[in-house]
Amino acid sequence: MRILLVLAHPLQESFAASVARTAGEALEASGHVVDLLDLYAEDFDPRLTEAERRAYFDVPYDTSAVADIVARLRSADGLVLVFPQWWFNFPAILKGFFDRILAPGVAFIHDAAGGRIVPELTNISLLFALTTTGSPWWLVQLYMGNPVRRLLKRGIANFCSKKLVFRMLSLHDMDRATEARRQAHLERVRKALAAI
C-alpha cells in the first residue's frame, strides 16, 4: 500500500513528530510505501483563496494551485493524519488541508440533482488519525462529545469514501503525560500500523 502520512505540527521536536516517525517506520517495516507530507516543513498555505472559493462549484474545479499535493493524495491507498487537538479541534493548517485538498473533483463531486455530494476518494481504503489532546479523556469524550473523531468519521470519511477503514488513536491529557505513557502510546501506534 502507498500511504500519505500527513503531519500537522510546527515543531520538529514535538511528540506529534515522534508519532509520525513511529508510524512511518511501522508502515515501512510492514512493506508499505510512505509519502510524508509535513505541512509546516513544506510551507503549505492553508488559506482557501478568493479564486478557489469563487470557483468551488465549477466543473472541473481548478486545483492547479495545490496540484502536487492533490497528485500525492490521488496516488495513495491510505491516509494517516498526525496532529494535536487544539481547542478540541484541528490545527488551522490541517483544516486548510481539508479545505484546499479535499476539494470538488478530488474528494467528492457535487450531485447535480441538488445538495448531496458523491464520494470520489475511491482510492483511499483506510484513514487513521493519530492525535493528542491536552484534556483528559472524560472531558473530550463526555463533555465535548469527541468533535474531532465525529468530524473525521461522519464527515470526511463518510462523505469522501464509502468503503474505508477508519481508526483514531488518541493520547489524552498530553500535558501531564509521563514519559512512560508517551512511550506506551508510541508502542500502541506502532502495533496498530504494523497490523495494516
Side-chain angles (χ1 to χ4, degrees), residues 7-44:
L7 173 60
H9 198 291
L11 304 177
Q12 293 300 310
E13 70 279 8
S14 67
F15 185 69
S18 295
V19 170
R21 276 191 301 277
T22 299
E25 290 165 2
L27 288 164
E28 288 175 345
S30 295
H32 302 292
V33 175
V34 176
D35 177 7
L36 174 62
L37 170 56
D38 182 333
L39 295 172
Y40 282 94
E42 295 193 26
D43 201 25
F44 174 71

Side-chain angles (χ1 to χ4, degrees), residues 58-181:
D58 289 354
V59 179
Y61 177 71
D62 181 11
T63 58
S64 60
V66 289
D68 177 57
I69 297 175
V70 167
R72 291 163 74 178
L73 178 63
R74 284 183 168 150
S75 70
D77 304 301
L79 182 60
V80 176
L81 307 173
V82 181
F83 60 96
Q85 293 182 42
W86 292 331
W87 288 106
F88 307 101
N89 210 329
F90 306 104
I93 201 165
L94 185 58
K95 177 61 169 70
F97 172 84
F98 299 148
D99 292 345
R100 296 190 74 206
I101 308 303
L102 302 184
V106 178
F108 65 92
I109 56 172
H110 295 285
D111 181 2
R116 298 181 15 187
I117 60 175
V118 178
E120 283 289 301
L121 276 183
T122 55
N123 56 303
I124 300 295
S125 62
L126 69 88
L127 170 59
F128 273 40
L130 309 174
T131 185
T132 58
T133 71
S135 299
W137 176 89
W138 67 267
L139 186 61
V140 173
Q141 193 68 35
L142 303 177
Y143 181 73
M144 293 301 294
N146 208 346
V148 166
R149 185 182 197 292
R150 191 170 54 246
L151 285 168
L152 286 171
K153 174 74 171 124
R154 293 183 188 173
I156 291 172
N158 287 345
F159 289 141
C160 296
S161 178
K162 288 295 184 188
K163 295 181 180 179
L164 63 72
V165 173
F166 174 80
R167 186 154 181 212
M168 185 163 149
L169 297 177
S170 301
L171 176 61
H172 297 286
D173 213 3
M174 173 65 191
D175 300 335
R176 289 171 290 282
T178 63
E179 184 60 26
R181 276 191 67 223

